[in-house]
Amino acid sequence: MLEWDDLRYFLAAARNGSLSGAARVLGTTQPTMGRRVEAFEARIGAKLFRRTPSGLALTAIGQAILDHVTRMDEAALAVERVATGHDSGLSGNVRLTAPEWYGARVLSPHLGAFCALHPDIMIELVTDARPMSLTQREADIALRLRRFEQDGLVQRKVADMPFGLYAAPSYLDRHGAPDFASGAMGSAFVAMSEALTEATAETAWLDEVAPKARIAFRSNSRDAQAAAAAAGAGLACLARTLGDGWPGLVRLETPTPIPMREVWLGVHADTRTIPRVRALIDFLCDELQQMHQPAGV
């Protein structure tokens, strides 16, 4: 008889393509993952993975059983969602996920009010560059800066997030404000990593108003961008909720408004009626719109 834990370890390894990535998802260690996968292969008498320089690759047998194990996992998660859906108390844990800077800079300062209102509910805020899956119960509620694409989710746009253009006074003393009439020639910008630029609303705006500027610094971290701009590396397009409060940055006038980003809240359809989850959803929907209202123009 196969054990469900063996199948979970196999599925995590197949989905992540590495023992280290699977170990992080399951909350274990890479050596433990390796031993569990090898023991499972020995038990069924077949190799499920090939070790390659880039990670794990499924063998033909591994690929053949993957769909079956995936369906078993989906069924197990559905049972869990149905069972937890009957939980009627305003107590227990709620796992909330959001982009790193958004969770740390926007959500955390406001979640204390929810904790005071509901002392028997424990919020676990998980910030990760990898979007966590609601269908796989990696999180109960997710906040993202774009629409969700997974099936079986309920989502709503909860806010529009305004952006501004920021610089350090030391940068402005050396280079002056950008001359947008010349395409910002001679100006330096702090920007998102190239692999992520398609996902950012300000990228097209920068290409339009500052085609002759140079990129001095790139990062996939908004905090790193703000810190680099505050140190004088260049101009940065940042969410107002981040840039307006960052020490050493001033917001500049722009020739046209920087496009806003949309903030979306997602939850699985089977768990949205759980009282503790519903309470946090209602709180976030009420608070987020107010959080992103810019103070002044």
Side-chain angles (χ1 to χ4, degrees), residues 32 115 148:
T32 298
C115 295
F148 294 79

Side-chain angles (χ1 to χ4, degrees), residues 130-142:
R130 177 186 67 86
M132 304 191 76
S133 172
L134 294 171
T135 57
Q136 296 174 26
R137 289 302 303 275
E138 292 181 334
D140 299 302
I141 303 170

